[in-house]
Amino acid sequence: MARYVFITGGVVSSLGKGLASAALGALLQARGFTVRLRKLDPYLNVDPGTMSPFEHGEVFVTDDGAETDLDLGHYERFTGVSARATDSISAGRIYSNVLERERRGDYLGKTIQVVPHVTNEIKDFLRIGEDEVDFMLCEIGGTVGDIEGLPFFEAIRQFAHERPRNACIFVHVTLLPFLAASGELKTKPTQHSVKELRAIGIAPDILLCRSEHPIPEKEREKIALFCNVRPDAVIPAYDLSSIYEAPLAYHRAGLDRAVLDAFAISPAPRPDLRRWEDVLDRLHNAEGEVRVAIVGKYTRLEDAYKSIAEALTHGGMANRVRVRAEWIDAEIFEREDPSPWLEGFHAILVPGGFGERGTEGKIKAARFARRRRIPYLGICLGMQMAVIEVARDCVGLANAGSEEFDVETGQKRFEPVVYHLKEWVQGNRTIERKPSDAKGGTMRLGAYTAVLAPGSRAAAAYGTTTVEERHRHRYEVDIRYRDRLERCGMVFSGMSPDGRLPEIVELKDHPWFIGVQFHPELKSKPFAPHPLFADFVRAAVEVSRLV
Ligand code: GLN
């Protein structure tokens, strides 16, 4: 049965709990343990799938097709363990399960209450897969004291209480603000947030203290005394220049040691941190730099494309170069000529997105990359726009477009080179959709196989001819246009196994131009950069050497 580490946050939000959880997972792995990470989000959305990227950042998709919190991306990038649908839950989902069961009559006429019905539902969720790993790391979203969070805190309190001693611990992430006027770090907010936790029955075992300044020994002792934790369980967490420094930095600060101590695991297995030393070596000893333009819609919030930014960094690490990603709002190109904006970049990436806004700008970015022979990677919507660009400019379909935009406006303006998919095969089942379906959870979601054309650039980059990649979209490139697009030099280099759905397209007479219907960025890791990103950055390096 797994040991449980519950990670909570106090004082303020955005302290990097997700990153801390992910780094702790990596450290436990380095000591030879198996781990799984899980996120419990107190908001009432059933999942983040329908939330705007501006609200919530990127939606991270799992192999089994769940639309989850972006923290699951951190978990995967740090541990390499593929997240599952059962690793992410929200209060919305919990309540919806409880209400569904109430309607079915499962509770036999009882009055339904937060305790025990909602808390039981949360505890059932925590137990899923508990026999598969040594450690289950569960992060509670939000901050202690949030009204929505209370059932979750109550559930983890009960959970720990029901387990044998030494089976569960609590790590609380807090902030030590620095007051410039007095030149001091302040511990009071941390004391208060621990007090709040203790009031609801949770006594933290470890405090991970975010701070911009070194924490003096006497402050550490004070925190230990007032918060009732051991001094060596007060772990400083300073700001880092890269998130990938977190495992080694937290190790040096004693986090994994404190966790094993709290579980009374002795002797502690020695850690093997070579994977992270190599990652940092590649990161810090990069030779040269390439500039990649990301032409997208949600450029105001970097978290909206979190995995893409990380995958580019990984691609740089694979080539031992630094990747400078610069975000450009696609809408600018609807008003202005893209050339002055895109001149000087070594590669162009058009990411995924929804809705028509900005798409004409993305098409222009694809045109610039194609004509100027700049490496282009189009992801999901970025692939669809590249196909539309070629259809308009080369096939001669002046009003080629995506059905998505006509559905949005209720008009018939485009010839749908990209169309709404109503029925497809996943494994051995057929899935059907209607345009009137609800928005949440109804896209083509999760891992699908693509068969690659031998000799294609995609097959060369992957070094294989069958791949599994994650999807999240409603629309597909229509293969009825395949012949005409192929006559223009477009190669359908990756297809679904039944040959119906284009998964990858590329241009024959171009140094590097690939569009993918899936999201390769979701599977990239610092210690295993995604082959497409590695090859894309390699192509960018070649361009940078020419200029
Ligand atoms: N909006 C497009 C579709 O639904 C692309 C989605 C995406 O880029 N993730 O097909």
Side-chain angles (χ1 to χ4, degrees), residues 61 298 350-356 359 362 379-385 402 404-405 418-421 443-444 471-477 516-519 521:
V61 183
Y298 315 109
V350 174
F354 293 85
E356 187 175 2
T359 50
K362 292 177 186 180
I379 294 177
C380 208
L381 189 68
M383 170 212 197
Q384 298 171 355
M385 295 308 109
S402 170
E404 177 173 7
F405 314 143
V418 177
Y419 73 109
H420 186 272
L421 187 67
M443 285 187 262
R444 180 149 86 98
H471 289 250
R472 180 172 185 254
H473 56 105
R474 252 182 210 100
Y475 298 85
E476 303 277 344
V477 172
V516 291
Q517 188 56 76
F518 46 79
H519 290 275
E521 71 275 17

Side-chain angles (χ1 to χ4, degrees), residues 207-238:
L207 295 178
L208 192 62
C209 302
R210 292 296 309 274
S211 168
E212 288 174 2
H213 294 268
I215 305 173
E217 196 48 42
K218 93 174 179 340
E219 295 304 320
R220 197 164 154 168
E221 280 164 16
K222 184 168 157 195
I223 296 168
L225 180 65
F226 282 91
C227 298
N228 196 35
V229 297
R230 293 162 190 278
D232 53 10
V234 179
I235 311 289
Y238 301 123

Side-chain angles (χ1 to χ4, degrees), residues 461-476:
Y462 276 104
T464 174
T465 50
T466 14
V467 298
E468 289 260 311
E469 294 283 5
R470 295 183 192 167
H471 289 250
R472 180 172 185 254
H473 56 105
R474 252 182 210 100
Y475 298 85
E476 303 277 344

Side-chain angles (χ1 to χ4, degrees), residues 40-110:
L40 294 83
D41 271 311
Y43 51 71
L44 285 172
N45 302 66
V46 171
D47 64 38
T50 48
M51 284 158 104
S52 157
F54 291 126
E55 284 280 319
H56 196 259
E58 155 186 287
V59 173
F60 191 81
V61 183
T62 59
D63 280 331
D64 55 2
E67 300 175 272
T68 70
D69 189 83
L70 57 78
D71 276 322
L72 272 79
H74 284 314
Y75 303 165
E76 280 201 22
R77 282 188 282 275
F78 279 79
T79 64
V81 177
S82 293
R84 301 179 187 151
T86 47
D87 293 327
S88 166
I89 195 121
S90 66
R93 166 84 64 201
I94 294 280
Y95 282 110
S96 134
N97 291 353
V98 168
L99 294 178
E100 203 176 296
R101 287 171 62 175
E102 188 273 339
R103 291 289 85 183
R104 264 202 321 256
D106 288 3
Y107 297 114
L108 305 174
K110 287 262 186 300

Side-chain angles (χ1 to χ4, degrees), residues 18 69 90 93 141 154 207 244 262-263 290 293-294 310-311 315 394 448 481 514:
D69 189 83
S90 66
R93 166 84 64 201
E154 170 60 13
L207 295 178
Y244 299 118
F263 281 114
V290 292
I294 304 180
E310 296 309 322
C394 179
Y448 285 83
Y481 295 91
I514 292 186

Side-chain angles (χ1 to χ4, degrees), residues 485-505:
L485 288 162
E486 277 181 342
R487 267 182 250 128
C488 286
M490 185 161 261
V491 181
F492 284 62
S493 55
M495 296 295 291
S496 59
D498 63 5
R500 280 181 57 214
L501 306 175
E503 294 277 1
I504 311 179
V505 297

